[in-house]
Amino acid sequence: MPPVCLVVGIVISLVVIPILLVFGLLFAEFLLLLLVLPIAILLRILFVRSWPIEVWRGKTLKDQENVRGWRESSDRITDLINEIRLRHSPGESALP
C-alpha cells in the first residue's frame, strides 16, 4: 500500500467520519423533533394546565392565583396591576 493512501485513510478516519457522524446525529435529532412536536402541541391544546400568577413585594409573596390560558393570564395580570394602582395614592408604594 502506498504511503499516500495510508495518509488519506488516516485523515478520513480521524476527520471526515466523525463529522459525518455528528451531522447524522443532528439530522436524526431533527427528525425526532418533527415527530414529537405535533404531538406535544396537540397535548398542550387538549390539556390546558393552569399556572400561578404571583404578586411579590420584595421577598414576600403577597398573593397567588392559578389561571388557565394565555389570554386569561394576561387579562388577570392587567387586572391585578390596576387593582394595586387603585389601592394606593401616587406617593405610596404600589404593592400592598
Side-chain angles (χ1 to χ4, degrees):
M1 185 188 248
V4 173
C5 291
L6 186 62
V7 170
V8 170
I10 291 173
V11 168
I12 288 175
S13 299
L14 296 177
V15 176
V16 176
I17 292 175
I19 290 174
L20 290 176
L21 284 174
V22 167
F23 281 117
L25 287 173
L26 286 172
F27 184 69
E29 209 172 291
F30 177 71
L31 290 178
L32 184 64
L33 178 68
L34 287 178
L35 176 71
V36 170
L37 192 60
I39 296 169
I41 291 172
L42 182 66
L43 289 174
R44 177 72 177 123
I45 291 170
L46 293 176
F47 302 105
V48 179
R49 290 183 39 198
S50 63
W51 57 83
I53 296 177
E54 300 174 342
V55 178
W56 289 81
R57 182 172 186 187
K59 294 183 179 181
T60 307
L61 179 65
K62 293 294 184 179
D63 191 17
Q64 178 180 351
E65 297 179 15
N66 288 330
V67 181
R68 290 181 59 170
W70 289 98
R71 183 166 300 182
E72 289 83 5
S73 67
S74 176
D75 293 343
R76 187 59 191 140
I77 289 171
T78 304
D79 292 343
L80 283 171
I81 290 170
N82 291 332
E83 288 175 19
I84 291 169
R85 285 185 183 151
L86 288 175
R87 279 190 267 168
H88 297 280
S89 65
E92 295 180 32
S93 172
L95 290 175

